Amino acid sequence: MSLPIVLITGQLLTDAVWQPLLDVWGDREVIVADNRSDDSIEGFAQRLLDNAPPKFVLIGHAMGGFVAFEVMRRAPERVAKLALIATLASADGPAQTARRQGYIDLVESGRFDQVVEERIPILFPEEKRGDERLLGIARAMAADTGADTFLAQQRAIMARIDSRPRLSEIAVPTLLVWGEKDGITSRAHHDEILEAIPGSRLELVPGAGHLPTVEAPEVVVPLLTDFIDE
């Protein structure tokens, strides 16, 4: 019997980002962790652990990767395998903090709808920015998240610690997935994790941006399924 799978969704994203996987994994136990009820990475991680099965496969996307690193620090014995999608291990630098503060300013001035429009150029490569299906998914996820939850997620991200010093302690099979046209995380971010986690491997998703699960499900779904089952 396959292990339960716990999915940790990124900021301003909902279960919809996992839909291609959920459609295929209907016969598996899959839990999407709560990314709405806390305002710290530590809070998200502890809530996940309080509600997860004793042993599980952990898959984190973007902000979900930050939470996954905290789960690995708190309860490494409960995670059988780890997959990280479009994430990074360092804390924010000045440029990221400034960008996030800009989003907060937009929300606080009543322009939450503008946040997702400003993010589209970093979510999707140029050739996909006219794809109404992808834009519809991104806008619907942002609307479903809402301004208050977005602000709480921003606070959590901005206050997160640097996870790099303890990456070498991760001792479970680890898969990194990165869309080669991601406008938020870079190849260097993933190489840093790859070099630090013993035995980890990196899979590139050609032509995909920051949301490879919905941009290239034909690549990502079999990749994650095979990783879990192997």
Side-chain angles (χ1 to χ4, degrees), residues 41-42 66 69-70 73 88-93 156-167 189 192-193 196:
I41 297 301
E42 295 80 4
F66 310 155
F69 291 135
E70 182 63 28
R73 287 189 287 271
L88 50 93
S90 55
D92 270 0
I157 290 172
M158 291 169 81
R160 76 185 188 281
I161 66 168
D162 187 341
S163 291
R164 292 174 295 181
R166 294 185 60 184
L167 289 179
H189 289 135
E192 196 168 47
I193 301 169

Side-chain angles (χ1 to χ4, degrees), residues 60-62 69 83-90 167 174-180 182 184-197 200-204 209-210 212:
H61 175 242
F69 291 135
L84 301 165
I85 305 168
T87 196
L88 50 93
S90 55
L167 289 179
T174 301
L175 173 68
L176 311 178
V177 179
W178 176 61
E180 64 173 4
D182 190 339
I184 297 178
T185 68
S186 67
R187 174 67 188 261
H189 289 135
H190 289 77
D191 282 343
E192 196 168 47
I193 301 169
L194 182 68
E195 289 162 14
I197 299 178
S200 59
R201 78 174 202 259
L202 171 63
E203 295 284 352
L204 305 185
H210 193 61

Side-chain angles (χ1 to χ4, degrees), residues 72-228:
M72 297 307 297
R73 287 189 287 271
R74 290 178 179 233
E77 73 287 348
R78 291 181 60 186
V79 179
K81 292 184 178 183
L82 174 66
L84 301 165
I85 305 168
T87 196
L88 50 93
S90 55
D92 270 0
Q96 290 98 336
T97 298
R99 188 181 81 216
R100 297 189 199 287
Q101 188 57 52
Y103 295 152
I104 289 172
D105 293 344
L106 280 175
V107 174
E108 290 181 340
S109 64
R111 291 180 290 167
F112 171 65
D113 289 350
Q114 201 174 318
V115 171
V116 71
E117 301 308 318
E118 293 216 355
R119 282 172 61 84
I120 281 168
I122 56 176
L123 288 178
F124 301 119
E126 188 172 2
E127 60 273 18
K128 293 183 179 176
R129 290 175 203 155
D131 185 322
E132 290 304 323
R133 181 186 73 89
L134 291 175
L135 296 181
I137 291 171
R139 288 169 178 148
M141 288 193 292
D144 288 348
T145 299
D148 291 344
T149 296
F150 172 71
L151 289 176
Q153 292 172 344
Q154 271 304 39
R155 286 191 286 272
I157 290 172
M158 291 169 81
R160 76 185 188 281
I161 66 168
D162 187 341
S163 291
R164 292 174 295 181
R166 294 185 60 184
L167 289 179
S168 62
E169 298 173 17
I170 295 175
V172 297
T174 301
L175 173 68
L176 311 178
V177 179
W178 176 61
E180 64 173 4
K181 295 191 174 182
D182 190 339
I184 297 178
T185 68
S186 67
R187 174 67 188 261
H189 289 135
H190 289 77
D191 282 343
E192 196 168 47
I193 301 169
L194 182 68
E195 289 162 14
I197 299 178
S200 59
R201 78 174 202 259
L202 171 63
E203 295 284 352
L204 305 185
V205 185
H210 193 61
L211 306 181
T213 52
V214 292
E215 292 177 65
E218 72 284 353
V219 175
V220 177
V221 172
L223 196 61
L224 290 171
T225 304
D226 290 349
F227 171 67
I228 291 167

Side-chain angles (χ1 to χ4, degrees), residues 31-54:
I31 298 154
V32 182
D34 181 349
N35 74 341
R36 305 173 74 95
S37 299
D38 296 275
D39 62 0
S40 71
I41 297 301
E42 295 80 4
F44 289 128
Q46 191 56 53
R47 185 180 298 273
L48 182 157
L49 287 166
D50 289 346
N51 291 285

